[in-house]
Amino acid sequence: PADSRDQLIMNTVIGITLESKVENSPMQVAQFGNISGLSGLLTGTPYFFDSDGQLTTSAPSTGFTQVVGIAKSSTELLFDLQIPLGV
């Protein structure tokens, strides 16, 4: 998972997985588009990855910050990685 505290990976985040990964098996990574089936999103709010690689509305205070998407509704995120910035 992306760890926003680690500036060494700041330019290596390439997308988000939409499924669990089984060791040594391929997985799909979304780089742009709508992600649906989520819950509790705040419409119009930017989302970031936290230190555990989970979506959050709180921008990291250490490491780097990178908007990964904007909530279109409480269940849908427009995933669109923005340029990461060091904190």
Side-chain angles (χ1 to χ4, degrees), residues 71-83:
K72 292 176 64 175
S73 71
S74 64
T75 61
E76 189 173 29
L77 181 79
L78 174 58
F79 187 77
D80 183 17
L81 286 173
Q82 300 299 305
I83 297 169

Side-chain angles (χ1 to χ4, degrees), residues 49-83:
F49 285 132
D50 67 13
S51 59
D52 294 320
Q54 301 298 309
L55 293 172
T56 180
T57 57
S58 301
S61 59
T62 61
F64 69 96
T65 182
Q66 182 175 21
V67 173
V68 298
I70 304 287
K72 292 176 64 175
S73 71
S74 64
T75 61
E76 189 173 29
L77 181 79
L78 174 58
F79 187 77
D80 183 17
L81 286 173
Q82 300 299 305
I83 297 169

Side-chain angles (χ1 to χ4, degrees), residues 11-29:
N11 292 304
T12 64
V13 177
I14 61 167
I16 189 170
T17 60
L18 303 177
E19 57 193 14
S20 299
K21 179 178 179 341
V22 176
E23 189 173 350
N24 297 320
S25 65
M27 72 175 161
Q28 293 183 325
V29 176

